Amino acid sequence: MGFPIQRLRRLRQHDSLRRMVRETTLSPSDFIYPLFVIEGQDRREEIASMPGQFRLSVDLLVKEAGEVQALGIPAVILFGIPEHKDERGSSGWNANGIVQRAIRAIKQQVPGLLVITDVCIDEYTSHGHCGIVRNGKVLNDETLECLTVMARTHAEAGADMVAPSDMMDGRVAAIRRELDRAGFSDLPILAYAAKFSSCFYAPFRDAAFSSPQFGDRQSYQMDPANAREALREIEFDIDEGADIVMVKPALPYLDIIAMARARMLLPLAAYQVSGEYSMIKAAARAGWLDESRAMMESLLAIKRAGADLILSYFAKDAVKLLY
């Protein structure tokens, strides 16, 4: 019996060898950490469907931001939960709104940390949709007016980047025009370019109290069946002025991440969403998975598929394992 000439196991014998030939690696600079901010003082509310994640008042959010920076994670993305909601989500673009105040506090007390803001009105509307609703229909162009004002107030508060997540047509171009007009031509846009209508967002909607009160979001978020359409969405956002584009969710859409990486040169982000996080947490609590290994394997898969940046609720835990 002959022996194989090619023995791929030769380079798997020892940890040092495996590390030397490892093709994909993670670093703290790969991550963006999502944070939920609420009104009040000294408020820390654990999110039942997202173990280990919290809604934080601004004073505690600043402390959390300091911990994120100390770990070497370069950026956070903020999601606001207001006290009052209305049909237009007007508290979302209030210059003294919850996110605007959180931006100012972080930039003052943790100045080296990049602050990215979610630009969408679903967390601020009484109906839970990402746009203005009339006669049961989500209106595209009317919503753009809300989004542009929201992005501008975030910029005026000191945000380092804005991230429109609404999936209205033309919103990147509208926001770019408004930012340029207001003197923020250097402020980058991270576009949720291929955001699919996914059941994996459910824990987030619990965290942000943003579930639609009627219908669903399939008329504006993408059909999970469509890959070519996702690439069109990405191309349109690039043409409209996006500086970074994102695929959301991540793990169920690794093929989209890989196709996007192969087709374009912009930085590519992927959002490991709440459902992805909570599934691993739940399986680990049941004793079915090793949480640390499942976490790191999932993050490596996202990076290997082609993502340059990963938005993940695991960011802090993952970085601690990297040191």
Side-chain angles (χ1 to χ4, degrees):
M1 180 178 178
F3 291 94
I5 296 174
Q6 299 293 339
R7 293 182 180 267
L8 299 185
R9 290 182 57 192
R10 291 183 184 124
L11 299 182
R12 302 173 192 160
Q13 299 298 309
H14 310 290
D15 179 64
S16 295
L17 271 174
R18 291 191 294 272
R19 286 190 289 115
M20 286 172 63
V21 299
R22 188 160 292 153
E23 299 172 24
T24 306
T25 58
L26 293 166
S27 74
S29 60
D30 295 331
F31 292 105
I32 298 169
Y33 191 53
L35 290 171
F36 298 95
V37 57
I38 55 175
E39 298 283 359
Q41 191 78 12
D42 197 31
R43 286 182 66 187
R44 180 182 176 89
E45 300 175 355
E46 185 163 17
I47 301 165
S49 57
M50 298 176 65
Q53 298 299 307
F54 300 85
R55 305 178 194 95
L56 301 170
S57 55
V58 172
D59 55 321
L60 298 185
L61 186 86
V62 168
K63 294 180 180 178
E64 183 78 358
E67 294 179 15
V68 170
Q69 184 184 48
L71 288 169
I73 298 169
V76 295
I77 183 167
L78 301 183
F79 298 93
I81 305 167
E83 281 189 340
H84 304 290
K85 303 187 179 190
D86 60 31
E87 290 188 354
R88 295 184 63 84
S90 58
S91 61
W93 64 82
N94 186 325
N96 200 39
I98 183 62
V99 164
Q100 289 82 348
R101 282 183 278 123
I103 296 166
R104 289 193 288 267
I106 294 174
K107 296 310 295 182
Q108 181 179 19
Q109 299 182 52
V110 195
L113 185 68
L114 287 174
V115 177
I116 305 168
T117 58
D118 177 71
V119 177
C120 188
I121 63 173
D122 64 322
E123 297 141 53
Y124 307 93
T125 56
S126 53
H127 47 72
H129 278 285
C130 300
I132 302 299
V133 174
R134 186 178 302 141
N135 298 324
K137 182 178 180 180
V138 177
L139 305 179
N140 192 92
D141 295 2
E142 289 84 346
T143 301
L144 299 185
E145 299 175 14
C146 304
L147 299 174
T148 57
V149 178
M150 181 184 287
R152 175 170 50 77
T153 62
H154 290 178
E156 291 169 344
D160 298 293
M161 187 181 301
V162 294
S165 64
D166 54 285
M167 289 301 287
M168 299 297 119
D169 291 333
R171 88 271 204 219
V172 173
I175 290 171
R176 183 74 273 159
R177 283 194 299 269
E178 177 63 14
L179 292 176
D180 291 354
R181 185 200 64 78
F184 297 101
S185 58
D186 291 332
L187 194 78
I189 296 174
L190 189 168
Y192 288 61
K195 180 178 180 180
F196 290 85
S197 182
S198 172
C199 69
F200 288 96
Y201 305 148
F204 176 97
R205 293 174 183 172
D206 173 47
F209 308 114
S210 61
S211 295
Q213 298 304 300
F214 66 90
D216 54 40
R217 295 176 177 166
Q218 294 185 70
S219 71
Y220 44 100
Q221 294 179 355
M222 282 196 57
D223 186 337
N226 294 356
R228 295 191 301 271
E229 184 186 6
L231 297 177
R232 291 184 69 200
E233 286 279 11
I234 290 169
E235 289 173 358
F236 287 162
D237 282 1
I238 293 171
D239 290 343
E240 290 179 20
D243 301 283
I244 302 172
V245 292
M246 182 158 67
V247 175
K248 178 184 180 183
L251 283 176
Y253 299 91
L254 294 178
D255 60 324
I256 307 298
I257 297 171
M259 284 189 285
R261 177 72 291 152
R263 288 172 67 103
M264 60 92 181
L265 300 177
L266 266 66
L268 177 61
Y271 200 145
Q272 186 182 46
V273 299
S274 57
E276 300 173 62
Y277 170 87
S278 296
M279 284 195 306
I280 292 174
K281 281 285 188 180
R285 287 190 169 192
W288 299 334
L289 284 177
D290 180 302
E291 181 176 327
S292 294
R293 291 188 63 187
M295 170 183 70
M296 298 305 285
E297 187 174 336
S298 67
L299 292 168
L300 275 170
I302 298 166
K303 183 76 180 292
R304 188 183 66 243
D308 302 296
L309 303 169
I310 304 173
L311 289 74
S312 176
Y313 305 96
F314 280 126
K316 288 173 58 182
D317 293 339
V319 167
K320 290 174 184 176
L321 290 180
L322 295 176
Y323 287 113

